[in-house]
């Protein structure tokens, strides 16, 4: 795996096509309190691009245009959170999107283990270290361990999508999954608008 670390934006001339794996690291789980520190991107070719925000200066025109590109499917694991934090801090909705966690819930109904580590282990036979998950992502210098952890969160999403797409097709749930992915921006906006703890569809 190759990791490229950038600050405040992607470098000029870097382009992606087709599908792009995306993940974020923040100071915590509350977008109103906890700032966005890192955005990880991978084209699924073993290379990860990390865009670090050592301070909350979120101009990043090149990153924003990649995230908002309507011709580029953004693959997330638990898109609901990433969409909300990206929208809140960068002001862009990263659509169209695909969520490996939703795809897993719609197909792997024999388990309640839908974490990225569980998926990578079962579907790809690879052990993913989650050691640096809780660490100081706001630090001015990210350690090598933090960088490889952050990269590993986007390096397997294309392969997972391939496997999960096959299962969705097998179970006749491709269209249902698509409809769920299309709703995710609305779900993220509901979270940011004050309905994060509530399912407005429940009785
Ligand atoms: Mn992550």
């Amino acid at each position: 795996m190759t990791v490229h670390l950038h600050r405040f934006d992607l470098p000029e001339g870097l382009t992606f096509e087709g599908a792009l794996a995306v993940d974020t690291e923040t100071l915590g789980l509350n977008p109103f309190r906890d700032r966005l520190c890192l955005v990880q991107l991978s084209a699924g070719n073993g290379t990860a691009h990390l865009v670090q925000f050592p301070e909350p200066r979120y101009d990043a025109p090149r990153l924003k245009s990649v995230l908002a590109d309507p011709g580029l499917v953004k693959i997330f694991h638990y898109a609901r959170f990433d969409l909300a934090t990206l929208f809140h801090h960068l002001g862009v909705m990263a659509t169209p999107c695909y969520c490996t966690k939703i795809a897993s819930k719609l197909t792997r109904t024999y388990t309640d283990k839908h974490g990225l580590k569980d998926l990578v282990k079962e579907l790809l036979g690879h052990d993913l270290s989650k050691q640096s998950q809780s660490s100081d992502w706001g630090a001015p210098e990210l350690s090598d361990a933090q960088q490889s952890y952050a990269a590993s969160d986007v390096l397997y999403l294309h392969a997972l999508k391939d496997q999960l797409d096959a299962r969705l097709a097998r179970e006749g749930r491709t269209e249902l999954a698509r409809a769920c992915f299309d709703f995710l921006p609305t779900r993220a906006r509901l979270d940011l608008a004050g309905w994060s703890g509530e399912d407005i569809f429940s009785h």
Side-chain angles (χ1 to χ4, degrees):
M1 102 178 163
T2 314
V3 182
H4 299 285
L5 181 65
H6 315 288
R7 290 186 163 219
F8 294 110
D9 202 358
L10 287 169
E12 255 175 277
L14 185 63
T15 56
F16 301 98
E17 53 187 51
L20 179 69
V22 183
D23 187 33
T24 63
E25 302 302 333
T26 62
L27 270 187
L29 296 178
N30 180 345
F32 297 104
R33 181 192 61 191
D34 305 319
R35 69 180 176 88
L36 174 66
C37 303
L38 193 69
V39 179
Q40 307 101 284
L41 308 173
S42 176
N45 54 2
T47 296
H49 291 273
L50 315 183
V51 180
Q52 186 196 5
F53 294 96
E55 48 189 89
R57 280 200 282 121
Y58 299 117
D59 307 332
R62 288 183 290 274
L63 174 62
K64 286 177 190 176
S65 102
V66 163
L67 291 175
D69 183 350
L72 198 56
V73 176
K74 272 66 69 175
I75 314 171
F76 297 93
H77 183 77
Y78 198 48
R80 178 177 171 179
F81 175 79
D82 296 305
L83 287 178
T85 200
L86 288 169
F87 189 65
H88 181 69
H89 291 99
L90 301 183
V92 294
M93 195 52 86
T95 52
C97 68
Y98 183 103
C99 178
T100 51
K101 189 163 202 158
I102 296 288
S104 175
K105 287 185 177 180
L106 287 174
T107 51
R108 296 171 63 254
T109 43
Y110 49 82
T111 179
D112 59 358
K113 293 196 184 330
H114 302 287
L116 182 62
K117 190 179 168 62
D118 302 305
L119 278 182
V120 169
K121 178 73 188 166
E122 186 190 306
L123 301 181
L124 306 175
H126 184 82
D127 267 307
L128 204 60
S129 164
K130 278 277 162 191
Q131 242 169 27
S132 300
Q133 183 167 36
S134 308
S135 63
D136 180 13
W137 293 104
E141 305 288 339
L142 297 179
S143 68
D144 288 348
Q146 281 180 307
Q147 291 183 42
S148 23
Y149 164 77
S152 70
D153 271 357
V154 286
L155 289 177
Y156 302 100
L157 295 182
H158 287 74
L160 285 181
K161 178 180 182 296
D162 287 346
Q163 298 270 335
L164 290 164
D165 278 346
R167 295 212 190 185
L168 285 167
R170 190 186 80 192
E171 302 306 325
R173 294 182 186 148
T174 302
E175 193 280 325
L176 186 59
R178 184 69 262 155
C180 292
F181 302 152
D182 289 345
F183 177 70
L184 278 165
T186 306
R187 180 62 264 190
R189 282 166 55 214
L190 284 167
D191 288 343
L192 293 172
W195 283 278
S196 62
E198 199 183 328
D199 173 8
I200 59 167
F201 297 104
S202 69
H203 181 58

